[in-house]
Amino acid sequence: MIAMSSFILFTLLVALISYKATRQENLKQSTGYFLAGRSLPWFVIAGSLFLTNISAEQLTGLNGNAFANGASVMAWETVAAVTMIILAVVFLPRFLKGGVATVPQYLEARYGKRMRSVASFIFIYAIVIGFLPFVLYAGAITLGKLFGVAEILGVSETAATWIMVIGLGFVGGIYAVFGGLKAVAVSDTVNGVGLLFGGFLVPILALYQLGDSSVAEGFNILITESPERMAAAGVGEGAAIPWHTLFSGILLINLFYWCTNQAIVQRSLGAKNLSEGQKGVLAAAAMKVLGVAMLVLPGIIAWHMHQKGMLTIPTRGFTEAGEAILAKDMAYPTLVREVMPSWLTGFFGAVLFGAVMSSFNSGVNSLSTLVSLDIYKQIINPKADDLKVVRMGKIFGAVTIVICVCIAPFIAQADGLYTLMRTIMAVINVPILTVILVGIVSKRTPALAAYIALPIGMVSFYTAHFVLKGDFGFVQVHWLHLVGLNFLWMVGIMMVIRYLKPMSQPYEQVYTNQVEVKPWKYAVHASWAIVGLLALLYTVFSEIGILGEQGSAGKVMAVLSLVAVCCFVINRALQRHNTKSVSTAEVAREA
């Protein structure tokens, strides 16, 4: 009763705050509904970005991966921080300068109207098939396990999953369909504060229980018993995330997700100016580094507790040899239910519910934006006024929710929620990213290059991964390296076409004056500080740090000093390049 009461109270509090913050908004205009009137301050952007990403599919899926494979899976989070820096300093200035509301709108400016339509349909597929159902399913199993829905209602786990999926879809639809982006962003910020508190409390309580009433002893168990599971970099032969994939597939997938994925980028597109947008993105990047403690550490603790008989993880079935196959995606919700006091269970459930709603609402709102502005307004009814455009967005958002509710429960048949989501998205995400990156770097690449390379890239990855399983006869390639090879393959195709049929005039972006695009003066300093945090994390949790017999603070400091020197040299080189570019541009204007 206490748990349910605290759940209801916190959920109603978030709804009330969101209502008060958005009741003056003009949600009948497309800018107000889809981009919050371009009025979001940095802290709302940071909170919304963080919570849109850190949802149940992250908490459940990534901790499940950590339970099965160890700390090397943190690469998804640490590399994300790097790509968020790239969003802040490379992509966001261009998006805001062009005044775009969607990523396909930017592609239209670069490659033409057809590319906007093609990209919009691809993004719609990505959100409906590769994102929203996973959010609903992860939220359903996590909250269902936390509150014991199957036991309370006297139904099977499968039936409980369906009930939770339908409930989450219905409540999430109210926020996303009727509240617009600002309602989503404000609720994200409030829930984000609660998630930080509850998310970090879980590993502390779990370490306390693992260490027999001592957090320090619990942590000591992690680094002394099976220390390889705490290694940040996957250096072993059987590592789930080999260290070298950080520079190929993981980097590229994160670049798409954080720099060109509509569901994420839309938060920063609502910034009141570039400076606020950069502050928000970089603050969220710093939170991502710290977020490893809630996204990876609980999974490793759950493994140790399971090994010691302190935690029972449900099974998915048995192998032919009779060995139990653990349901690794249930590791996190099972751990939370075990270590969280009953009086806090309701609060954490409310926060987790808010996190699920955040990701789900963000996806629905972004989908509505794409359909309304890029499909309905551009193709079906170009003369439609704002009222009709917004109404169409709401209708399609509601239809999408029904589709995703029908798909979500079937994800239970997959082995590994997080990896499945990433591989499905990899079919489309790197091809789209490649087209955008080449368009930014090469000013004379024609639209023809994008039209040819895009379908080839999608078919190539699907064939290499889902048909050939990475086996080319003479070599077996990790799926993340397939992503990197596909990127190089597409770039090669586009460069050949650019050489054969270059644009007669180089592309120049037009400044629309919708928001101020003066950069934040401390953006570079904040970026290098985040890189320093990452270097510290990877050196401390390695053989030269606390995990090795020969590790020492001196070795860690030596590595960090080398990283600092490299950062300084790179920064100076970039400054000289920018100065030279500005001087060349001034000479050209005078001429």
Side-chain angles (χ1 to χ4, degrees):
M1 182 61 71
I2 296 176
M4 189 56 65
S5 298
S6 59
F7 172 83
I8 294 172
L9 286 174
F10 189 80
T11 302
L12 290 176
L13 175 64
V14 174
L16 180 62
I17 293 173
S18 300
Y19 168 73
K20 286 192 172 182
T22 58
R23 60 182 176 179
Q24 301 299 326
E25 289 292 313
N26 186 355
L27 300 180
K28 294 182 179 180
Q29 290 187 344
S30 57
T31 302
Y33 183 79
F34 297 120
L35 290 177
R38 296 192 187 274
S39 63
L40 299 181
W42 72 268
F43 55 88
V44 172
I45 294 171
S48 187
L49 281 173
F50 183 71
L51 205 66
T52 296
N53 174 246
I54 307 298
S55 185
E57 87 279 2
Q58 292 280 113
L59 286 165
T60 301
L62 201 53
N63 274 304
N65 264 4
F67 173 83
N69 303 303
S72 65
V73 299
M74 74 169 65
W76 291 110
E77 297 304 297
T78 53
V79 176
V82 175
T83 55
M84 291 170 78
I85 293 173
I86 297 173
L87 168 63
V89 300
V90 177
F91 286 86
L92 189 57
R94 288 168 171 79
F95 289 154
L96 293 184
K97 182 179 179 180
V100 300
T102 67
V103 174
Q105 192 176 340
Y106 175 81
L107 286 169
E108 177 188 20
R110 178 61 183 83
Y111 292 113
K113 269 194 171 183
R114 286 183 189 172
M115 181 53 67
R116 179 175 182 175
S117 301
V118 170
S120 296
F121 281 112
I122 292 174
F123 275 116
I124 290 169
Y125 155 82
I127 294 173
V128 174
I129 302 299
F131 181 63
L132 290 178
F134 290 89
V135 173
L136 281 180
Y137 171 71
I141 64 172
T142 304
L143 290 169
K145 189 69 176 178
L146 188 64
F147 288 109
V149 173
E151 294 89 341
I152 292 174
L153 300 180
V155 297
S156 66
E157 291 289 348
T158 301
T161 300
W162 274 100
I163 292 169
M164 291 299 296
V165 163
I166 294 170
L168 290 172
F170 175 75
V171 177
I174 295 175
Y175 267 105
V177 174
F178 298 106
L181 178 62
K182 190 161 186 178
V184 173
V186 171
S187 64
D188 287 354
T189 305
V190 179
N191 278 309
V193 175
L195 183 62
L196 284 173
F197 173 75
F200 285 116
L201 187 61
V202 170
I204 293 173
L205 294 174
L207 286 173
Y208 182 81
Q209 188 164 323
L210 178 64
D212 193 17
S213 303
S214 171
V215 173
E217 180 57 30
F219 186 75
N220 186 60
I221 290 173
L222 298 187
I223 62 176
T224 57
E225 299 180 15
S226 300
E228 70 280 357
R229 299 189 69 83
M230 285 291 288
V235 294
E237 187 174 332
I241 308 291
W243 66 269
H244 38 82
T245 61
L246 272 67
F247 307 100
S248 58
I250 290 184
L251 176 63
L252 292 168
I253 289 173
N254 271 295
L255 273 174
F256 166 82
Y257 184 87
W258 288 104
C259 300
T260 61
N261 179 10
Q262 181 68 29
I264 291 294
V265 174
Q266 190 164 337
R267 272 94 209 96
S268 54
L269 296 182
K272 61 173 65 175
N273 54 52
L274 176 59
S275 178
E276 290 292 295
Q278 289 180 324
K279 288 178 193 175
V281 171
L282 293 173
M287 293 164 69
K288 288 292 286 180
V289 180
L290 301 176
V292 169
M294 72 169 76
L295 290 165
V296 176
L297 190 58
I300 300 172
I301 299 171
W303 183 85
H304 281 273
M305 292 178 68
H306 177 71
Q307 294 299 114
K308 293 177 179 294
M310 302 169 65
L311 192 69
T312 302
I313 305 299
T315 58
R316 293 181 59 249
F318 295 89
T319 64
E320 294 181 358
E323 296 179 355
I325 302 174
L326 296 178
K328 62 183 181 180
D329 289 330
M330 295 300 289
Y332 184 74
T334 303
L335 177 72
V336 171
R337 192 176 182 187
E338 173 67 26
V339 304
M340 189 72 74
S342 58
W343 60 274
L344 271 177
T345 301
F347 164 75
F348 187 72
V351 169
L352 197 56
F353 174 76
V356 174
M357 289 299 94
S358 169
S359 292
F360 186 69
N361 299 343
S362 299
V364 173
N365 185 261
S366 298
L367 194 70
S368 299
T369 306
L370 289 167
V371 171
S372 301
L373 300 183
D374 293 340
I375 304 298
Y376 181 71
K377 178 72 173 175
Q378 293 296 312
I379 301 175
I380 300 175
N381 189 3
K383 296 182 180 180
D385 57 21
D386 272 7
L387 192 62
K388 287 184 178 179
V389 170
V390 171
R391 185 187 302 137
M392 178 55 61
K394 291 180 178 181
I395 292 172
F396 194 84
V399 172
T400 300
I401 291 169
V402 175
I403 294 172
C404 293
V405 164
C406 294
I407 295 173
F410 296 102
I411 297 173
Q413 301 171 20
D415 180 21
L417 168 71
Y418 198 78
T419 301
L420 175 65
M421 180 174 67
R422 293 305 188 193
T423 52
I424 287 178
M425 290 291 284
V427 175
I428 62 98
N429 57 16
V430 172
I432 283 287
L433 171 68
T434 307
V435 168
I436 296 175
L437 275 177
V438 172
I440 290 175
V441 174
S442 176
K443 304 296 185 182
R444 288 185 181 271
T445 297
L448 178 65
Y451 290 127
I452 292 176
L454 193 58
I456 290 178
M458 290 189 289
V459 171
S460 296
F461 181 81
Y462 179 85
T463 303
H465 178 67
F466 291 99
V467 178
L468 300 178
K469 310 294 184 185
D471 185 359
F472 293 90
F474 62 94
V475 64
Q476 180 73 38
V477 182
H478 193 286
W479 78 270
L480 287 168
H481 284 317
L482 289 177
V483 172
L485 290 172
N486 195 41
F487 171 75
L488 295 177
W489 166 234
M490 285 189 61
V491 170
I493 292 172
M494 294 186 73
M495 287 298 96
V496 168
I497 298 172
R498 182 246 179 264
Y499 177 78
L500 296 175
K501 288 185 172 292
M503 293 171 61
S504 57
Q505 295 293 327
Y507 168 73
E508 292 292 337
Q509 188 177 24
V510 177
Y511 178 31
T512 61
N513 288 293
Q514 292 197 32
V515 296
E516 183 182 317
V517 291
K518 182 180 179 181
W520 180 38
K521 62 180 180 179
Y522 297 116
V524 173
H525 303 80
S527 299
W528 289 122
I530 292 167
V531 171
L533 277 176
L534 291 172
L536 178 64
L537 180 65
Y538 272 90
T539 50
V540 169
F541 291 97
S542 69
E543 287 292 320
I544 65 173
I546 62 176
L547 301 182
E549 293 181 2
Q550 305 299 320
S552 67
K555 291 182 179 180
V556 171
M557 291 305 298
V559 172
L560 293 179
S561 298
L562 179 61
V563 171
V565 170
C566 292
C567 290
F568 177 78
V569 172
I570 294 171
N571 192 51
R572 290 300 299 271
L574 290 174
Q575 287 178 341
R576 285 196 293 269
H577 173 74
N578 290 337
T579 302
K580 184 178 179 181
S581 299
V582 171
S583 300
T584 303
E586 290 176 349
V587 169
R589 281 196 296 269
E590 290 175 1

